[in-house]
């Protein structure tokens, strides 16, 4: 490689040999070609190596790591080895539209530090061809960005983000704390927002987010992560109050854990605290479901 690439793409994986080629092809097919792809593999036991090595592109590098179940370690490993000015993240079961990097770099060149966009939500491969695709909506964050993120929750999806490497290094990368597993991406956006308000929501849907049965977050981990965030940002939460989205996340998680008493309690708090009518309605539906299941069990 004669010069450093503009964008380093970090793709972390484990036992995704059956689908990682789709993600890699979506990178190779980008209209913007000034990139490197760092694949950080958590010692897969399937045919991941064979699939990756079948791509004879010098811009693609395969690294091995034992992340001990902490995905943040793999992301930080990739950041450490990245040569680009900007870092893009792509999960191994997601994939991009061919214009994703081209459009992202145009906004980054306008002095934004981090850009992100919507993604199509895919649960079966047939969904990709459907005219009526569901969308994972990002949020057009309002300044101050830190306060918006804190009070309204995560507005960015990992596989949509391209961010300044300098800023990632400034905040120390992703937290590798066990109690932040599932929330490490949200926390790093919060930390970046302490230094920069130059976040830009790109109003296009530029990729596909896989939401199959193998990509579900444990409700127990969600509860632990939110409690950890409450400790980290205790001063700010004391000032602004615990936001409604946290109560709603607790309500959904306890519902899945069959703790209907706690679920109804937090759903009620979410209805009172959350500003969004949509979330209030979802919290009300959760409250009704929890109350009904309390009655029949």
């Amino acid at each position: 490689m004669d010069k450093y690439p503009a964008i380093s793409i970090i793709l972390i994986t484990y036992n995704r040999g059956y689908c990682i080629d789709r993600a890699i092809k979506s990178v190779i097919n980008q209209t913007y070609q000034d990139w490197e792809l760092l694949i950080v593999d958590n010692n897969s036991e399937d045919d991941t190596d064979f699939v990756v090595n079948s791509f004879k592109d010098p811009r693609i590098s395969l690294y091995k790591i034992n992340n001990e179940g902490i995905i943040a370690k793999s992301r930080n490993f990739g950041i450490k080895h990245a040569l680009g000015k900007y870092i893009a993240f792509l999960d191994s079961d997601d994939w991009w539209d061919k214009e994703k990097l081209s459009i992202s770099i145009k906004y980054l060149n306008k002095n934004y530090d981090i850009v992100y966009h919507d993604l199509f939500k895919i649960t079966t491969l047939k969904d990709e061809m459907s005219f009526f695709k569901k969308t994972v909506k990002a949020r057009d964050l309002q300044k101050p960005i830190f306060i918006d993120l804190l009070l309204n929750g995560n507005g960015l999806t990992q596989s949509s983000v391209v961010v300044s490497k300098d800023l990632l290094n400034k905040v120390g990368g992703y937290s590798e704390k066990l109690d932040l597993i599932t929330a490490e991406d949200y926390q790093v956006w919060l930390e970046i927002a302490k230094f920069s308000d130059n976040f830009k929501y790109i109003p296009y849907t530029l990729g596909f987010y896989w939401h199959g049965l193998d990509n579900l977050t444990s409700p127990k981990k969600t509860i632990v992560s939110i409690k950890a965030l409450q400790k980290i940002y205790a001063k700010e939460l004391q000032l602004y109050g615990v936001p409604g989205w946290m109560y709603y996340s607790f309500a959904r998680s306890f519902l899945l854990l069959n703790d209907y008493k706690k679920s109804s309690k937090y759903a009620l708090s979410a209805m009172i605290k959350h500003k969004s009518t949509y979330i209030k309605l979802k919290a009300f539906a959760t409250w009704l479901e929890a109350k009904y299941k309390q009655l029949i069990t």
Side-chain angles (χ1 to χ4, degrees), residues 14 22 50-51 53-54 69 109 114 128 133 224 234 265:
Y14 174 67
R22 185 176 58 202
F50 175 80
V51 175
N53 291 328
S54 70
N109 287 338
I114 180 168
E128 185 180 2
K133 290 189 278 287
V224 170
K265 169 190 167 185

Side-chain angles (χ1 to χ4, degrees), residues 140-203:
D140 191 0
L141 301 170
Q142 303 302 305
K143 298 178 182 180
I145 302 295
F146 176 81
I147 301 303
D148 187 319
L149 283 170
L150 186 69
L151 298 185
N152 298 306
N154 192 0
L156 296 74
T157 305
Q158 184 76 53
S159 287
S160 78
V161 170
V162 188
V163 59
S164 160
K165 182 184 177 184
D166 286 346
L167 262 181
L168 279 172
N169 287 331
K170 193 169 187 177
V171 301
Y174 288 78
S175 172
E176 297 181 9
K177 293 180 179 178
L178 285 172
D179 55 2
L180 278 174
I181 290 176
T182 75
E184 64 271 12
D185 57 335
Y186 173 49
Q187 203 240 341
V188 82
W189 314 145
L190 282 164
E191 292 302 308
I192 287 173
K194 290 180 179 179
F195 294 97
S196 173
D197 269 335
N198 293 327
F199 282 56
K200 179 60 180 177
Y201 166 63
I202 299 173

Side-chain angles (χ1 to χ4, degrees), residues 92-108:
S92 55
D93 50 356
D94 298 339
W95 64 104
W96 289 336
D97 180 273
K98 65 180 182 179
E99 297 292 337
K100 182 261 187 339
L101 292 182
S102 180
I103 293 173
S104 295
I105 202 72
K106 287 178 182 177
Y107 283 95
L108 289 164

Side-chain angles (χ1 to χ4, degrees), residues 216-235:
L216 299 177
T217 301
S218 160
K220 288 183 179 180
K221 287 182 179 178
T222 298
I223 292 168
V224 170
S225 296
I226 294 175
K227 287 183 177 179
L229 289 168
Q230 288 177 337
K231 289 180 181 179
I232 292 169
Y233 300 108
K235 290 181 180 179

Side-chain angles (χ1 to χ4, degrees), residues 254 258-267 287 290-291 294:
F254 281 116
N258 302 324
D259 191 335
Y260 306 126
K261 184 176 181 180
K262 285 185 179 178
S263 177
S264 59
K265 169 190 167 185
Y266 284 114
W287 180 82
K291 283 296 185 181
Q294 265 187 287

